[in-house]
């Protein structure tokens, strides 16, 4: 259902990606990122069918504990952990469509066999970060529309310095507002389910290159 690595459309698009991406990668190496405004939710949304199916098979991965904090304090140590987990997953998982992998259009799973598409990267990153001590409530599977007008899944981490996006299309971890994506919905922080992001558009286009 969601996109993998695809060819970009248009030479101008590619040039913009390369320039913005270089600055995004550089930002990973200097302490913690500057603060930015968080994304705003706007009511309930329908959960993706494949997420519902995944939660039936692995309920512990979807359980919501409202006693956990909604946001984490973004320290240099935590930022270093987030960057390391994101980079490792992006390099070790082989991108493959659900049709080729499972013989179905859409299936969400933790890629224990080393293969998966965008939502599988997300679930693996969230699992590893939870094992490192991050609260699941602050890590939200998020559905966006990407630069090719296709559905795509990313991991949104909510912090006291804004909401940051972990993406299998790039190693640079960017504020949600600098990804160039249209934000459709994300997991809710208040109930087991999803909440709308109202189709918020982000004007800055960043690199999809590694």
């Amino acid at each position: 259902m969601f996109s993998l690595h695809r060819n970009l459309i248009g030479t101008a698009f590619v040039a913009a990606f390369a320039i913005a991406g270089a600055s995004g990668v550089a930002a990973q190496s200097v302490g913690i990122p500057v603060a930015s405004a968080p994304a705003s939710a706007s009511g309930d949304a329908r959960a993706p069918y494949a997420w519902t199916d995944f939660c039936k098979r692995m309920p512990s991965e979807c359980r919501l504990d409202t006693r956990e904090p909604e946001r984490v304090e973004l320290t240099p140590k935590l930022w270093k952990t987030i960057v390391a987990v994101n980079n490792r997953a992006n390099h070790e998982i082989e991108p493959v469509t659900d049709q080729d992998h499972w013989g179905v259009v859409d299936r969400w799973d933790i890629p224990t066999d080393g293969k998966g598409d965008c939502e599988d990267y997300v679930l693996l990153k969230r699992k590893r970060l939870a094992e490192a001590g991050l609260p699941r409530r602050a890590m939200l599977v998020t559905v966006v529309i990407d630069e090719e007008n296709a559905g795509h899944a990313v991991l949104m981490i909510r912090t006291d310095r804004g909401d940051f996006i972990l993406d299998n299309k790039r190693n640079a971890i960017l504020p949600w507002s600098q990804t160039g994506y249209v934000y459709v919905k994300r997991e809710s922080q208040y109930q087991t389910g999803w909440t709308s992001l109202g189709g918020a558009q982000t004007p800055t286009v960043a690199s999809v290159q590694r």
Side-chain angles (χ1 to χ4, degrees):
M1 175 182 175
F2 298 126
S3 66
L4 298 170
H5 306 289
R6 300 194 190 95
N7 291 329
L8 298 178
I9 301 174
T11 56
F13 223 19
V14 173
F17 281 163
I19 294 169
S23 61
V25 171
Q28 311 297 297
S29 62
V30 289
I32 56 178
V34 298
S36 60
S40 297
S42 58
D44 294 341
R46 184 187 298 273
Y49 168 79
W51 177 85
T52 302
D53 175 67
F54 170 73
C55 292
K56 288 179 180 178
R57 289 183 283 112
M58 303 191 71
S60 64
E61 294 294 323
C62 303
R63 194 169 294 128
L64 176 67
D65 185 352
T66 54
R67 295 171 297 180
E68 291 184 333
E70 295 180 35
R71 294 177 175 83
V72 294
E73 180 184 357
L74 193 57
T75 64
K77 181 179 179 181
L78 179 58
W79 181 246
K80 183 177 180 180
T81 297
I82 293 170
V83 170
V85 168
N86 187 63
N87 288 350
R88 179 183 172 193
N90 282 354
H91 283 96
E92 72 180 44
I93 302 304
E94 176 187 349
V96 62
T97 66
D98 287 329
Q99 191 65 55
D100 290 339
H101 197 185
W102 304 108
V104 296
V105 173
D106 195 22
R107 175 185 168 99
W108 293 26
D109 218 331
I110 295 174
T112 54
D113 62 355
K115 299 179 181 181
D117 63 359
C118 55
E119 67 271 359
D120 304 325
Y121 284 84
V122 168
L123 295 171
L124 177 63
K125 292 172 186 179
R126 189 180 66 167
K127 179 178 176 62
R128 287 179 173 172
L129 288 170
E131 291 170 349
L134 273 73
R136 288 183 181 275
R137 192 182 183 203
M139 300 186 290
L140 308 174
V141 183
T142 302
V143 172
V144 301
I145 302 300
D146 69 9
E147 73 284 348
E148 297 182 19
N149 202 36
H152 181 51
V154 295
L155 181 63
M156 178 182 290
I157 298 184
R158 309 209 71 196
T159 82
D160 62 344
R161 300 184 69 83
D163 300 337
F164 293 89
I165 299 300
L166 278 63
D167 194 343
N168 66 296
K169 292 189 175 202
R170 59 174 73 90
N171 286 332
I173 299 172
L174 303 176
W176 75 278
S177 57
Q178 295 181 19
T179 60
Y181 294 150
V182 176
Y183 284 77
V184 180
K185 55 189 174 182
R186 70 185 180 201
E187 290 178 286
S188 172
Q189 293 185 293
Y190 304 103
Q191 61 183 345
T192 302
W194 285 62
T195 186
S196 174
L197 293 174
Q201 298 188 34
T202 58
T204 302
V205 179
S207 175
V208 298
Q209 305 299 318
R210 292 193 182 272

